[in-house]
Amino acid sequence: MTLVMGVLNVTPDSFSDGGRWASTESAVRHALQLRDEGADLIDVGGESTRPGATRVAAEVEQDRVLPVIAELKRHGIRTSVDTLNAQTAERAVAAGADIINDVSGGLADPAMAAVVARAGVPYIAMHWRAHAGTMDTLSTYDDVVATVVAELTERVTALQAAGVRRDQIILDPGLGFSKDAEQNWRVFARLDAFAPLGLPVMVGASRKRFLAGVLPADAAVLERDLPTAVLSVLAAQAGAWAVRVHDVAGTRTALNVLARVDSARIGS
């Protein structure tokens, strides 16, 4: 069954909810709400990776995420740490994080693979070409689906060579990163192309810019939650290991509907 990963941005500058959960207390309250709404795990991030975002110091990132992760561990909530920084990842696992979610797939910090290998926890490796400030300039592909699969395959090979077990690795096709709107749709439509790699796939489409194309021109960012829920169902049907979403309640309801339909189909 596809897991629901709830997004918890402990940052002042996230594109959709920046600042709302910037304190440890508010972040923990929101995480508890996401759990009650049906999140299977919470993805805690202390650095925005929205287009154009600037980097923050590792110490600042850690001050944001480590107390939250530790407190959620106390509540028995599974967490992933959303970070590009190997030191942050290592300290987050020590604080109780169950998963490392690295949008760079180990490219941003050469020390990341060694940290993952030592920690032995699941590692989400996303398709990535550059940091947020320049990633939109690197969206040229002859065949976006084939290239994303090939570049992720290279990352898997490199990670394994650095000591990461293959069964630790989860792939993320990187929707919204170094891809224009049409390329995002093409990659999503071909999630089956990742199946030959034999690894779990996480899909992070929530509130991404390409979803604006199916909404009225003046639609607010939060109005992207409905198309996100639809994509979550389609991702589940394609066999996704997890979907990473801001609106946990809507996605959980949509996946519950899918589960009932699948159950009725099996029982008929």
Side-chain angles (χ1 to χ4, degrees):
M1 184 173 70
T2 299
L3 303 178
V4 177
M5 176 186 286
V7 177
L8 182 59
N9 292 315
V10 193
T11 62
D13 58 346
S14 171
F15 76 96
S16 66
D17 56 6
R20 295 186 67 187
W21 328 116
S23 71
T24 298
E25 294 76 14
S26 63
V28 170
R29 282 198 305 272
H30 186 55
L32 293 172
Q33 178 184 344
L34 294 177
R35 178 199 61 184
D36 293 344
E37 290 173 348
D40 297 293
L41 63 155
I42 305 296
D43 191 44
V44 184
E47 178 180 6
S48 176
T49 54
R50 63 178 173 77
T54 55
R55 300 299 311 277
V56 302
E59 294 78 9
V60 173
E61 179 188 33
Q62 291 163 26
D63 285 346
R64 293 171 177 175
V65 303
L66 297 180
V68 175
I69 289 169
E71 185 64 14
L72 295 183
K73 178 72 171 181
R74 192 177 70 81
H75 285 277
I77 295 176
R78 294 182 66 208
T79 60
S80 54
V81 59
D82 179 1
T83 185
L84 300 160
N85 186 286
Q87 183 188 72
T88 300
E90 189 165 41
R91 293 191 64 190
V93 171
D98 301 279
I99 298 170
I100 298 169
N101 179 18
D102 177 3
V103 300
S104 80
L107 289 170
D109 188 337
M112 183 65 84
V115 166
V116 174
R118 286 196 302 270
V121 299
Y123 175 67
I124 301 170
M126 195 190 81
H127 176 258
W128 185 87
R129 286 185 159 185
H131 287 290
T134 57
M135 67 180 180
D136 283 348
T137 67
L138 298 174
S139 60
T140 300
Y141 303 85
D142 290 332
D143 181 329
V144 65
V145 176
T147 303
V148 171
V149 171
E151 291 181 1
L152 277 177
T153 300
E154 291 175 1
R155 294 311 308 145
V156 171
T157 300
L159 289 165
Q160 289 187 266
V164 178
R165 300 190 320 274
R166 189 175 182 86
D167 64 6
Q168 286 179 255
I169 302 171
I170 298 162
L171 301 179
D172 179 344
L175 298 175
F177 289 78
S178 296
K179 301 169 189 70
D180 63 27
E182 182 57 31
Q183 290 163 347
N184 285 309
W185 287 112
R186 288 178 188 171
V187 170
F188 184 88
R190 289 297 318 281
L191 291 178
D192 62 299
F194 298 91
L197 278 66
L199 294 170
V201 174
M202 187 191 77
V203 175
S206 186
R207 297 180 182 172
K208 296 286 176 72
R209 287 181 298 173
F210 74 97
L211 297 179
V214 300
L215 294 167
D218 60 348
V221 170
L222 296 185
E223 293 182 62
R224 300 175 191 175
D225 285 342
L226 178 55
T228 296
V230 174
L231 289 187
S232 294
V233 168
L234 295 173
Q237 290 179 316
W241 167 78
V243 289
R244 180 182 182 275
V245 299
H246 299 80
D247 175 27
V248 167
T251 286
R252 175 55 68 192
T253 298
L255 292 178
N256 286 345
V257 171
L258 175 62
R260 291 297 296 270
V261 171
D262 286 344
S263 177
R265 184 180 292 118
I266 293 170
S268 62

